[in-house]
Amino acid sequence: MGFQIYDERAGAVVPFTPLVDGQVSIYCCGLTVQSPPHLGHIRKEVVFDVLRRWFEACGLRVHLVVNVTDINEKIEKNAAAQGVPWFEVAYDVELELHRARAALGVLPPHYEPRASGHIPEQIELIQRLIEAGHAYAADDGSHDVYFDVASWPDYGELTRQRVTEMQDDEEAPTRGKHDPHDFALWKGATPDQPATAIWDSPWGPGRPGWHLECSAMALKYLGGAFDIHGGGLDLRFPHHENELAQSRAAGLDFAHYWMHNAFVTTAAAKMSKSLGNGTRVTDIVQRVPGRAVRLYLAAPHYRSTVEFSESALDDAVAQLDRIDTFLSRCGVSERADFAFADLPQAFVMAMDDDLGTPAAFAALFDTIKAGHKALDGGDATGADDALRGVRAMLHVLGLDPYDPEWADTAAGGGRDLTDVVDALVRIVLDQRTQARQRKDWASADALRDRLAEAGLRVEDSPTGPRWAIERPAS
């Protein structure tokens, strides 16, 4: 295949070659389920969903694993504040994540393991590191176990940093460490932790460190070597750097490519739970169609920052209207079979160029423009070619309203009432036609204006009036 990917470790766009011909294995760091997902979290879901769809469109078998971090101090803190067990908070937020994915047409991963369900695998990995001389148990009675950064000369290879240049995590405990840069593989239990959040280990009661869980789960479900490790840009360091070091030190080949999406920002600040500037996905889709939110997150290049604003969402709604107007004008009412041959070459080249969605969307709207021109000129063949191309591109981008992911929505925003709405609008259009036939232009114009006020645009054609959803005037 001709796909090229920006590999974080290489620091450059490089040709992508799967480890196994015809297959692609992807591991993504998922949500720490302490609070509901915001747009910054869900951007990663959309980006890697588009990547998956592109690989599948190219005929590859994709195996996507996305973990859930369901146990840590912040989850326990939030649970204590609510007066409920930590696992109740974790599960409620995990369900919210699933709802957010579904609202944006994101396909579920092939497997979604939880950190708390893989304690034995994590303990085994720690033992391998200790035996290899790359980890040690603290001698201060804390039951902590740390990765010995000094024992691994390649530490810093992912982010291309020297250890002496790395900034220490001021919030990380320093008890029992040989070096401030050493990171926790096992955290000894503390008196304030609930008993349900503590597991036995050869080093004493406690729980695994955050970085360790992903290495253990990737090994279990994708093997010692896999194609792509993905996640948000904020995970590059220290999380992914530590993952890479401990995995390689344990004798694993691990990920061959590292791919990160950039932030969604608010007033130039990263959207995050800690800053309190997140925007919940399930709140946004109450006022903006899910397909428009997906378009808003998918259209910029995944490595570029997206600034959140209501006007940007309005622009996405307007772009979605351009898509749906063309589909409506072509009489689309059901799902279309995907054919790679229908994709315009400009779209293929854009997607192969490190998932170049800006150019891919440009190809989409160029094709829509050509389709309208063909319809206006009575060129049925040209219009049909354009429609097939548009449907194929929408399928890859996850924006075709008739694909299964949107089965329970009308244009991505609620229960599918398309047939009901169409029947009601047709009644009004018939009344308008009758008024025009008796030359009652005032009544005909009044009916058209009423439809416009409801957000519908009426277009007269040689075969009769057509209607399409139009964004209401602000």
Side-chain angles (χ1 to χ4, degrees):
M1 63 180 303
F3 186 72
Q4 296 189 95
I5 184 173
Y6 181 86
D7 176 36
E8 192 67 52
R9 185 159 40 170
V13 176
V14 298
F16 174 76
T17 304
L19 289 169
V20 179
D21 189 39
Q23 300 182 33
V24 178
S25 49
I26 305 173
Y27 185 92
C28 276
C29 285
L31 186 67
T32 298
V33 285
Q34 67 193 58
S35 57
H38 54 62
L39 279 181
H41 299 125
I42 215 68
R43 186 185 187 191
K44 185 269 295 180
E45 304 287 340
V46 171
V47 165
F48 285 91
D49 187 60
V50 173
L51 178 69
R52 170 186 178 176
R53 289 168 182 268
W54 179 237
F55 282 149
E56 290 177 344
C58 294
L60 298 173
R61 166 73 170 90
V62 179
H63 189 197
L64 173 64
V65 175
V66 180
N67 79 290
V68 171
T69 297
D70 64 337
I71 179 68
N72 75 357
E73 293 83 354
K74 293 179 180 179
I75 294 173
E76 291 174 10
K77 181 179 178 180
N78 289 350
Q82 298 175 40
V84 298
W86 63 269
F87 47 81
E88 184 174 321
V89 169
Y91 188 56
D92 283 348
V93 175
E94 185 178 341
L95 292 178
E96 180 80 354
L97 169 63
H98 294 168
R99 286 190 286 269
R101 279 186 188 144
L104 302 192
V106 174
L107 300 169
H110 295 99
Y111 193 57
E112 194 170 17
R114 299 186 184 115
S116 65
H118 297 78
I119 304 301
E121 291 85 353
Q122 296 176 73
I123 290 175
E124 180 181 350
L125 188 56
I126 295 173
Q127 290 173 321
R128 289 176 63 170
L129 288 166
I130 291 176
E131 292 169 3
H134 296 297
Y136 60 91
D139 57 8
D140 61 352
S142 63
H143 308 302
D144 292 344
V145 180
Y146 293 101
F147 182 85
D148 185 357
V149 168
S151 74
W152 188 247
D154 289 335
Y155 187 75
E157 63 178 309
L158 179 64
T159 51
R160 301 177 297 286
Q161 299 182 83
R162 296 179 180 178
V163 175
T164 55
E165 299 171 345
M166 294 178 181
Q167 185 175 358
D168 294 340
D169 183 354
E170 297 178 356
E171 296 182 1
T174 58
R175 63 184 188 188
K177 287 185 178 183
H178 293 174
D179 184 286
H181 295 100
D182 295 347
F183 56 89
L185 301 174
W186 185 263
K187 296 182 176 182
T190 57
D192 58 338
Q193 285 181 267
T196 52
I198 299 172
W199 289 268
D200 291 329
S201 80
W203 315 282
R207 63 161 174 256
W210 174 38
H211 315 299
L212 187 76
E213 66 184 62
C214 292
S215 292
M217 288 186 282
L219 171 62
K220 179 165 185 175
Y221 296 106
L222 296 178
F226 57 95
D227 292 306
I228 298 173
H229 194 312
L233 189 62
D234 54 331
L235 299 181
R236 290 170 64 249
F237 184 85
H239 185 49
H240 286 172
E241 189 73 76
N242 293 350
E243 268 190 73
L244 176 60
Q246 69 197 7
S247 300
R248 298 278 288 163
L252 308 176
D253 199 22
F254 212 55
H256 279 216
Y257 303 89
W258 293 78
M259 182 177 178
H260 298 93
N261 63 276
F263 303 132
V264 176
T265 58
T266 303
K270 167 195 163 190
M271 189 173 286
S272 68
K273 288 175 280 193
S274 60
L275 293 177
N277 60 357
T279 304
R280 288 178 60 167
V281 177
T282 48
D283 290 340
I284 291 178
V285 296
Q286 296 301 312
R287 63 181 192 274
V288 179
R291 284 173 59 235
V293 179
R294 181 185 177 98
L295 188 155
Y296 160 74
L297 293 174
H301 194 273
Y302 75 91
R303 288 192 285 119
S304 65
T305 299
V306 174
E307 175 70 13
F308 174 76
S309 69
E310 292 295 336
S311 62
L313 283 178
D314 288 343
D315 290 342
V317 172
Q319 289 178 307
L320 186 67
D321 179 62
R322 289 175 61 190
I323 294 170
D324 290 345
T325 296
F326 179 67
L327 296 179
S328 175
R329 195 176 177 198
C330 292
V332 172
S333 61
E334 60 186 6
R335 185 188 181 194
D337 292 332
F338 169 77
F340 188 89
D342 290 333
L343 292 170
Q345 186 61 27
F347 182 88
V348 174
M349 292 176 62
M351 296 297 284
D352 271 347
D353 184 13
D354 191 31
L355 210 66
T357 52
F361 272 90
L364 169 66
F365 288 111
D366 283 347
T367 307
I368 288 174
K369 182 178 180 181
H372 279 302
K373 184 176 180 180
L375 287 170
D376 293 340
D379 180 4
T381 300
D384 186 60
D385 288 344
L387 178 60
R388 289 201 309 272
V390 168
R391 298 297 296 276
M393 287 185 280
L394 292 179
H395 174 76
V396 172
L397 297 169
L399 289 170
D400 192 314
Y402 294 96
D403 275 351
E405 295 73 49
W406 307 106
D408 296 328
T409 65
R415 191 169 67 87
D416 191 349
L417 299 174
T418 302
D419 292 341
V420 175
V421 173
D422 183 69
L424 294 173
V425 174
R426 290 294 169 189
I427 292 174
V428 178
L429 291 178
D430 287 344
Q431 293 175 351
R432 178 173 174 269
T433 298
Q434 293 169 10
R436 286 166 62 88
Q437 289 174 345
R438 62 175 183 267
K439 298 184 179 182
D440 184 356
W441 309 116
S443 296
D445 291 345
L447 290 169
R448 181 198 59 204
D449 292 344
R450 291 290 298 275
L451 290 173
E453 291 171 3
L456 303 177
R457 179 177 64 253
V458 175
E459 178 182 295
D460 291 310
S461 73
T463 58
R466 295 174 176 153
W467 67 274
I469 297 174
E470 176 138 65
R471 187 165 60 125
S474 57

